[in-house]
Amino acid sequence: MHKIENTDKQQGSAMAWHGLTEVKENLGFDDNFLREWEITERPLYDESSNPVGYSILGCTDDSQIRIGKPYNPETYKPITNEQFLDLVYDCISGTDHQIESIGSVRGRGRVFCSIKLNGLDDYNAGGREFKPYLNFGNGHDKSSVLWVNTSNVCTVCDNTFRFNLQEKSKESYKLRHTKNAIHKFPEIARLIDQAIGVQAEFQIAFNKLAMIDVKPETAKKWITGFEAETVTEISSQKKNRIDRIDDLFVNGKGNNGMDRSDLLSAVTDYYTHEFVKGRGIGNRIYQSEMGRGADRKSDALTNLLDQGKFEETVAFGNMVMN
């Protein structure tokens, strides 16, 4: 569910999965959808035209739009599109970058911007290209704080907005809409260096796995243990999954069935491309990047890097197989 309503727009450098992107080759900070309108505070009055102490947000480009619910200006301070975009620009100023996606969802209730930094190099695992993004988001409708994170998920809809908002990692920052919020903006810039560092850590981890050989019979036991998890009898569906991941270990794109990086690539390939095969593209992307598929890929990396967990999984797989 993308929640891109008729008053919203998502612009990007390429068409997103939902097929609603307005593709623009050179998105800029001065030329994008969020510069075409601004939020405005509209005080509310009672029947006698007396102010009631509450306001509601409107939009400069359409007087019919009302964003969210009434709020108390004394306790809630909206962050404008101009402030939001200036924050993003200040964070990446002096860094070679490209705006990958920008826009709003929920009837202008949420706005977002995803940036690709040249310092965050793409990498490959299991024949799949990963594109690390620096994501910014803000809620005009009080459904979201101002947030920043780094992830492999580019914000293009409400689902991806929600995923990045809920992402719990040290490479994230969240700020409530208070009167002093704008004074804390400079703290967010620290995420740039952290994001680059996290990317380097993944590359080091993947290279480490490539240095650890795995025999085919050991790989099959690990895959069985990893997929069987806590059961000693596996269904025919799960057995087929084990056999498929085992095949990808040897025959998957870029694999040769020799080391732990091939195991990680096999799991990554399966849960990215085949876990929900045959379902709608939106559901496939959700499961791969945010749902069960994302969890399994993360679990595999953690398991393969930990010698003790790896050996336990192999032993459990051997027990299940026998």
Side-chain angles (χ1 to χ4, degrees):
M1 184 166 55
H2 50 72
K3 290 191 177 179
I4 300 177
E5 301 179 14
N6 58 5
T7 58
D8 295 314
K9 184 183 294 186
Q10 184 259 325
Q11 296 174 323
S13 60
M15 183 60 66
W17 61 268
H18 48 58
L20 301 175
T21 307
E22 180 183 284
V23 179
K24 297 187 68 173
E25 292 185 2
N26 297 305
L27 274 176
F29 281 97
D30 294 325
D31 181 21
N32 63 70
F33 178 58
L34 300 188
R35 291 293 189 189
E36 297 175 8
W37 59 278
E38 188 56 273
I39 57 171
T40 59
E41 179 182 346
R42 298 179 178 177
L44 298 178
Y45 301 89
D46 61 21
E47 295 178 354
S48 301
S49 298
N50 298 311
V52 296
Y54 282 81
S55 297
I56 195 165
L57 290 180
C59 292
T60 55
D61 66 328
D62 189 334
S63 61
Q64 300 302 312
I65 295 177
R66 295 290 185 273
I67 301 174
K69 298 179 180 180
Y71 64 92
N72 185 342
E74 294 298 318
T75 58
Y76 180 80
K77 182 65 174 178
I79 295 172
T80 67
N81 288 348
E82 180 179 11
Q83 291 171 331
F84 176 70
L85 291 172
D86 286 349
L87 164 67
V88 180
Y89 182 78
D90 288 344
C91 283
I92 63 173
S93 179
T95 305
D96 193 11
H97 67 273
Q98 179 180 346
I99 299 178
E100 291 284 318
S101 177
I102 194 167
S104 70
V105 291
R106 294 195 179 193
R108 311 283 181 91
R110 291 177 166 183
V111 295
F112 57 85
C113 181
S114 290
I115 304 290
K116 183 70 173 64
L117 300 177
N118 281 353
L120 291 174
D121 296 329
D122 296 350
Y123 59 89
N124 288 275
R128 176 177 181 267
E129 185 178 47
F130 290 79
K131 295 179 176 292
Y133 298 98
L134 182 64
N135 298 295
F136 295 77
N138 181 43
H140 292 320
D141 60 0
K142 299 182 70 175
S143 69
S144 168
V145 294
L146 172 72
W147 57 266
V148 188
N149 85 333
T150 59
S151 77
N152 292 314
V153 177
C154 179
T155 307
V156 298
C157 64
D158 194 58
N159 271 340
T160 47
F161 185 105
R162 183 174 66 252
F163 170 79
N164 282 320
L165 169 65
Q166 296 174 347
E167 180 76 349
K168 296 180 180 179
S169 70
K170 62 182 180 181
E171 295 77 41
S172 64
Y173 187 92
K174 297 178 181 178
L175 185 63
R176 295 179 61 189
H177 292 71
T178 63
K179 284 192 172 182
N180 296 320
I182 194 169
H183 299 299
K184 298 181 180 180
F185 280 6
E187 298 178 31
I188 298 177
R190 65 180 172 81
L191 291 171
I192 304 300
D193 290 338
Q194 289 184 344
I196 295 173
V198 168
Q199 176 53 28
E201 289 175 6
F202 180 90
Q203 292 175 326
I204 291 172
F206 194 79
N207 290 335
K208 179 180 178 180
L209 293 179
M211 300 291 291
I212 307 175
D213 292 341
V214 178
K215 295 180 179 180
E217 56 269 26
T218 302
K220 184 62 176 287
K221 292 175 182 177
W222 181 86
I223 296 168
T224 302
F226 182 71
E227 287 299 321
E229 297 181 278
T230 59
V231 297
T232 55
E233 292 185 9
I234 55 178
S235 64
S236 58
Q237 181 182 26
K238 186 165 287 190
K239 184 179 184 302
N240 290 337
R241 183 185 304 169
I242 291 170
D243 290 341
R244 178 54 180 155
I245 295 175
D246 186 47
D247 178 63
L248 290 169
F249 169 67
V250 178
N251 301 310
K253 185 176 180 181
N255 287 359
N256 52 26
M258 295 181 61
D259 56 58
R260 291 192 194 180
S261 72
D262 291 330
L263 275 174
L264 178 61
S265 295
V267 172
T268 298
D269 201 357
Y270 179 82
Y271 281 101
T272 297
H273 301 293
E274 301 185 27
F275 180 49
V276 287
K277 193 173 183 179
R279 301 184 188 179
I281 186 170
N283 190 51
R284 294 203 303 271
I285 291 174
Y286 177 82
Q287 291 297 333
S288 171
E289 306 302 341
M290 293 166 259
R292 174 68 171 168
D295 291 340
R296 295 304 284 160
K297 289 185 283 187
S298 177
D299 292 343
L301 176 61
T302 300
N303 188 297
L304 291 167
L305 286 171
D306 187 315
Q307 182 62 26
K309 290 182 179 179
F310 177 82
E311 292 177 354
E312 289 177 4
T313 304
V314 170
F316 181 66
N318 182 59
M319 180 184 70
V320 173
M321 290 172 65
N322 296 317

